[in-house]
């Protein structure tokens, strides 16, 4: 009721909140009020509603980023309409050339998992695979018979992160790792890798989604980049999105430490599925809206994607099939995914009940990107204002309620002590 009263009392003249390096965007294919990109029925915001949401979002972001060196892009939308959009900084903050624009694609880090998860579910929906089949049905030689495709999707396979163990178990770091290498290394060394029992607990692992990319390729007959392009990017008009491969080395945007030093390209940077989707805030809004269109995904499929699967311990944090979520005590569900790989930090929050979306991307290790989740409370009662950072940031003391089983947890703790600060572990 408070929000309704405030909406009725707010009579502020509309102005564009889209900025590029503090310059207003005067024309764009997705300016405020533009409903041409909507893929489901949405009620256009009134001028009063637009003004209210714009003011609230602007106040929060101004206070959040005003004293930081944020280098990236932010977009907030309600009912598919952009109410706030800003681009700050440069593709290379050292040279201060090439301003970040609406068409500048950022490495999404683990937000990439939302595409891998939904690509797998699309193949399931189309009858081309069964997510309850063992992984070995699709990846010959896979040694863990109890691990199903679903257990890869919800991080209950028990397989630890390849980016933790491959380098420590003899992989030549002068040689780039491919997705097939991840599988072959697992097959050759599974008795030495501290793998936990399948489906005994939640244990977030990039290996799961690297393997899912291989399954997508096996079932579809297309490369993972080509499958995403033909199934999602092209049909949805996501013209600035792509999957990075070594052929893209000349065009990808590098990432940086907060100090401005560039992260070097390394042996783990060619694996996709768990990471390596590049996109923009505008394209991610198209993705968000398309997921509400039953022409793409049936409700039954989305219900599976957005269900929680890990309840060993009480808590609000959970994981679906390619999506993180908060299952709040008041009955609300906040669906999201965050990411961190090298200096790329990303946030993608979706408030289904209110049809609101918050997206923030950066390439200079600005951990304040995760603080945008607090804006969920502008749209509904999501109980986020008391949490400064997200669980996807390993520097935060807050932990996921569903922790891995003891065997895997002890390995992760010992590894953390050995490799604190090492960039190869900087992915969530």
């Amino acid at each position: 009721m408070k929000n309704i009263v405030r909406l009725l009392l707010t009579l502020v003249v509309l102005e564009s909140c889209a900025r590029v390096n503090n310059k207003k965007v005067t024309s764009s294919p997705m300016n405020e009020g533009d409903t041409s990109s909507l893929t489901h029925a949405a009620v256009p915001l009134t001028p009063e509603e637009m003004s209210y949401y714009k003011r609230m979002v602007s106040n929060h972001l101004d206070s959040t980023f005003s004293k930081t060196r944020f280098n990236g892009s932010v977009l907030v939308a309600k009912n598919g309409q952009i109410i706030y959009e800003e681009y700050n900084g440069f593709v290379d903050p050292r040279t201060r050339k090439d301003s970040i624009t609406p068409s500048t694609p950022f490495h999404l880090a683990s937000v990439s998992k939302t595409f891998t998860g939904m690509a797998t579910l699309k193949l399931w929906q189309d009858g081309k695979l069964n997510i309850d089949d063992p992984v070995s049905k699709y990846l010959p030689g896979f040694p863990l018979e109890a691990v199903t495709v679903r257990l890869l999707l919800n991080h209950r396979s028990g397989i630890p992160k390849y980016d933790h163990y491959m380098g420590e178990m003899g992989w030549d770091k002068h040689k780039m790792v491919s997705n097939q290498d991840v599988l072959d290394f697992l097959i050759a060394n599974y008795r030495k890798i501290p793998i936990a029992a399948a489906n005994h607990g939640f244990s977030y692992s990039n290996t799961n989604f690297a393997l899912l990319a291989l399954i997508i390729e096996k079932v579809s007959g297309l490369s993972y980049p080509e499958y995403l392009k033909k199934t999602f990017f092209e049909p949805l008009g996501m013209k600035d999105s792509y999957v990075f491969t070594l052929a893209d080395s000349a065009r990808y945007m590098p990432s940086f430490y907060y100090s401005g030093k560039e992260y070097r390209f390394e042996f783990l940077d060619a694996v996709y599925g768990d990471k390596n989707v590049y996109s923009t805030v505008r394209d991610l809004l198209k993705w968000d809206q398309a997921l509400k269109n039953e022409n793409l995904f049936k409700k039954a499929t989305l219900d599976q994607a957005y269900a929680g699967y890990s309840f060993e311990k009480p808590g609000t944090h959970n994981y679906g099939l390619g999506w993180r979520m908060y299952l709040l005590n008041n009955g609300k569900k906040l669906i999201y995914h965050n990411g961190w790989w090298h200096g790329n930090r990303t946030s993608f929050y979706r408030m289904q009940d209110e049809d609101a979306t918050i997206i923030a991307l950066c390439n200079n290790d600005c951990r304040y990107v995760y603080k945008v989740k607090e804006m969920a409370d502008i749209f509904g009662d999501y109980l986020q204002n008391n949490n400064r950072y997200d669980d996807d940031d390993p520097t935060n003391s807050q932990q996921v309620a569903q922790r891995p089983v003891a065997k895997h947890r002890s390995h992760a703790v010992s590894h953390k002590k050995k490799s604190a600060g090492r960039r190869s572990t900087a992915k969530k």
Side-chain angles (χ1 to χ4, degrees):
M1 287 297 297
K2 290 182 179 179
N3 282 352
I4 294 174
V5 172
R6 296 173 83 172
L7 290 174
L8 295 175
L9 294 175
T10 304
L11 298 171
V12 181
V13 178
L14 290 176
E15 63 176 11
S16 173
C17 271
R19 298 178 235 164
V20 178
N21 297 305
N22 298 321
K23 295 181 180 179
K24 292 181 180 179
V25 175
T26 56
S27 63
S28 75
M30 292 181 66
N31 273 340
E32 295 172 352
D34 178 11
T35 59
S36 61
S37 65
L38 301 187
T39 57
H40 71 292
V43 179
L45 296 175
T46 66
E48 292 80 11
E49 289 172 330
M50 180 71 80
S51 297
Y52 167 74
Y53 286 124
K54 182 191 303 181
R55 177 168 57 83
M56 296 295 288
V57 170
S58 182
N59 287 345
H60 183 279
L61 290 176
D62 286 348
S63 65
T64 298
F65 290 124
S66 61
K67 296 182 180 180
T68 73
R69 294 192 293 273
F70 172 71
N71 195 81
S73 55
V74 181
L75 183 150
V76 182
K78 174 78 170 73
N79 294 3
Q81 297 171 257
I82 296 173
I83 57 178
Y84 186 100
E85 183 180 14
E86 184 168 358
Y87 303 87
N88 187 70
F90 303 87
V91 171
D92 188 335
R94 300 168 304 177
T95 62
R96 300 182 67 81
K97 294 180 180 179
D98 298 323
S99 297
I100 291 171
T101 72
S103 60
T104 304
F106 285 78
H107 190 313
L108 298 185
S110 281
V111 173
S112 304
K113 291 182 173 70
T114 69
F115 290 97
T116 306
M118 297 313 296
T120 306
L121 293 180
K122 185 71 167 67
L123 291 167
W124 177 48
Q125 179 177 277
D126 293 345
K128 296 181 179 180
L129 64 75
N130 186 337
I131 60 173
D132 291 312
D133 280 339
V135 172
S136 57
K137 177 177 178 178
Y138 304 101
L139 301 179
F142 183 78
L144 309 171
E145 288 299 322
V147 175
T148 64
V149 176
R150 188 188 294 270
L151 295 182
L152 297 181
L153 285 164
N154 60 24
H155 292 294
R156 297 179 61 83
S157 71
I159 307 170
K161 297 180 180 181
Y162 72 89
D163 43 312
H164 281 190
Y165 63 72
M166 286 186 71
E168 293 188 350
M169 293 180 63
W171 183 266
D172 180 359
K173 295 182 181 180
H174 295 96
K175 178 185 176 183
M176 298 299 294
V177 176
S178 69
N179 287 63
Q180 187 63 45
D181 291 329
V182 172
L183 174 60
D184 292 344
F185 195 91
L186 177 62
I187 293 172
N189 297 279
Y190 76 96
R191 296 187 186 280
K192 303 175 186 177
I193 298 169
I195 299 172
N199 205 27
H200 279 214
F202 174 88
S203 182
Y204 187 91
S205 175
N206 298 307
T207 310
N208 295 325
F209 280 71
L211 296 175
L212 285 169
L214 288 177
I215 293 174
I216 291 167
E217 293 181 330
K218 178 77 171 182
V219 173
S220 70
L222 300 171
S223 69
Y224 174 83
E226 191 67 15
Y227 183 81
L228 290 197
K229 179 181 178 181
K230 289 189 174 183
T231 308
F232 299 139
F233 300 158
E234 287 184 343
L236 301 180
M238 299 173 65
K239 60 184 178 63
D240 295 311
S241 299
Y242 68 95
V243 178
F244 173 86
T245 67
L246 293 178
D248 299 298
S249 297
R251 69 161 169 162
Y252 85 104
M253 183 165 65
S255 67
F256 301 85
Y257 293 90
Y258 196 61
S259 64
K261 179 183 176 182
E262 183 178 356
Y263 272 90
R264 66 177 179 84
F265 197 75
E266 65 167 29
F267 73 104
L268 295 167
D269 280 323
V271 180
Y272 48 61
D274 59 329
K275 61 181 188 304
N276 265 334
V277 173
Y278 279 68
S279 191
T280 67
V281 290
R282 288 186 178 182
D283 276 2
L284 284 178
L285 178 59
K286 292 178 181 178
W287 176 232
D288 166 74
Q289 294 295 290
L291 291 171
K292 300 179 176 72
N293 182 356
E294 288 201 19
N295 290 328
L296 183 61
F297 288 104
K298 298 176 182 177
K299 182 180 183 300
T301 303
L302 295 175
D303 287 345
Q304 292 285 308
Y306 304 150
Y309 291 88
S310 296
F311 295 95
E312 285 75 33
K313 293 186 178 182
T316 59
H317 296 66
N318 217 299
Y319 204 95
L321 303 180
W323 296 94
R324 286 189 183 273
M325 62 194 70
Y326 291 104
L327 304 178
L328 301 171
N329 292 332
N330 62 4
K332 300 288 283 182
K333 180 188 292 188
L334 180 57
I335 299 168
Y336 74 102
H337 217 297
N338 283 349
W340 181 28
W341 178 247
H342 297 346
N344 305 290
R345 292 184 184 254
T346 56
S347 286
F348 183 28
Y349 285 87
R350 307 175 63 223
M351 291 125 280
Q352 298 278 82
D353 292 346
E354 295 79 15
D355 193 5
T357 314
I358 302 167
I359 308 164
L361 312 173
C362 85
N363 71 329
N364 73 327
D365 214 20
C366 181
R367 60 197 293 259
Y368 283 87
V369 161
Y370 304 138
K371 200 171 186 291
V372 300
K373 74 171 183 178
E374 295 177 6
M375 289 190 293
D377 289 336
I378 294 172
F379 303 99
D381 188 13
Y382 287 96
L383 310 176
Q384 295 302 303
N385 276 328
N386 292 325
N387 299 315
R388 185 171 178 82
Y389 296 113
D390 192 81
D391 51 276
D392 288 85
D393 182 356
T395 62
N396 179 25
S397 60
Q398 180 180 332
Q399 299 295 320
V400 179
Q402 292 75 35
R403 292 176 172 84
V405 295
K407 181 179 179 181
H408 191 184
R409 181 169 66 246
S410 63
H411 167 72
V413 171
S414 64
H415 176 81
K416 184 176 180 181
K417 291 179 179 179
K418 294 177 182 178
S419 58
R422 189 178 303 166
R423 73 173 66 83
S424 62
T425 65
K427 177 171 49 173
K428 282 296 204 180

